[in-house]
Amino acid sequence: MNASVVYYTKSGNTKKIADAIGVEVGTQAGTIDNALTQPVDLLFLGASVYKFGIDKAVLTFIDTLTPAMVGKVAIFSTSAMSDSGYPILCKALAAKGIPVVDQHFYCKGKFAFANKNRPNEEDVQNAKTFAKSAMMA
Ligand SMILES: Cc1cc2nc3c(=O)[nH]c(=O)nc-3n(C[C@H](O)[C@H](O)[C@H](O)COP(=O)(O)O)c2cc1C
């Protein structure tokens, strides 16, 4: 199974998790600006919550995906206080006919004075465990 890791970040929290997942699955994580150039069995997609939603750039990226290019997606997300972006991302991927693995990764991300040092080392280790498990799903 081959895997890619792509993410969108405004302040680096999602990148930190993406890089850890990349290390775990043996690939370099890249931003959503790097379009997929070849089919991938498992795409790790990282997107966090802004203004109670997902940035439009991520939804535009999902719109470029096809079932021929992406076997399934594993989602990871961070936020300061509200829930993960998982439900919104699932809905967008379902509309494209792309399956999403049941498990997803979520942790708090620092924002202003909240969640200092998050994602922390424990979050990074949990993200790696998630990645390993998604690769076996
Ligand atoms: C413009 C902006 C809007 C945000 N809106 C929310 C929000 O509605 N709910 C929430 O829980 N966190 C919100 N956050 C906090 C981010 O979800 C959190 O800091 C996240 O870890 C950012 O990930 P990133 O560093 O990869 O961009 C917001 C952050 C920014 C910069």
Side-chain angles (χ1 to χ4, degrees):
M1 174 186 289
N2 71 333
S4 291
V5 185
V6 294
Y7 63 91
Y8 175 87
T9 188
K10 286 190 192 294
S11 58
N13 299 338
T14 314
K15 179 182 189 312
K16 188 169 184 181
I17 298 300
D19 287 343
I21 292 173
V23 168
E24 185 63 38
V25 304
T27 187
Q28 176 80 48
T31 69
I32 57 169
D33 299 328
N34 304 303
L36 294 184
T37 52
Q38 57 184 19
V40 62
D41 298 319
L42 178 59
L43 178 66
F44 288 91
L45 174 60
S48 294
V49 176
Y50 312 102
K51 297 179 185 167
F52 305 100
I54 294 292
D55 196 278
K56 202 172 160 199
V58 178
L59 301 177
T60 301
F61 170 75
I62 289 174
D63 214 29
T64 68
L65 304 178
T66 63
M69 284 295 279
V70 180
K72 54 188 175 178
V73 171
I75 291 168
F76 57 102
S77 181
T78 74
S79 74
M81 56 187 175
S82 47
D83 285 342
S84 132
Y86 181 73
I88 298 170
L89 294 165
C90 277
K91 195 172 166 194
L93 288 158
K96 298 294 293 185
I98 298 172
V100 176
V101 302
D102 287 340
Q103 322 133 271
H104 69 285
F105 175 82
Y106 168 81
C107 71
K108 297 271 189 193
K110 65 179 174 298
F111 176 52
F113 298 109
N115 311 324
K116 195 169 176 247
N117 299 328
R118 303 288 300 274
N120 58 21
E121 189 50 36
E122 186 182 353
D123 296 323
V124 164
Q125 289 308 320
N126 288 340
K128 288 185 174 185
T129 302
F130 155 75
K132 200 184 291 180
S133 163
M135 289 291 279
M136 293 187 296

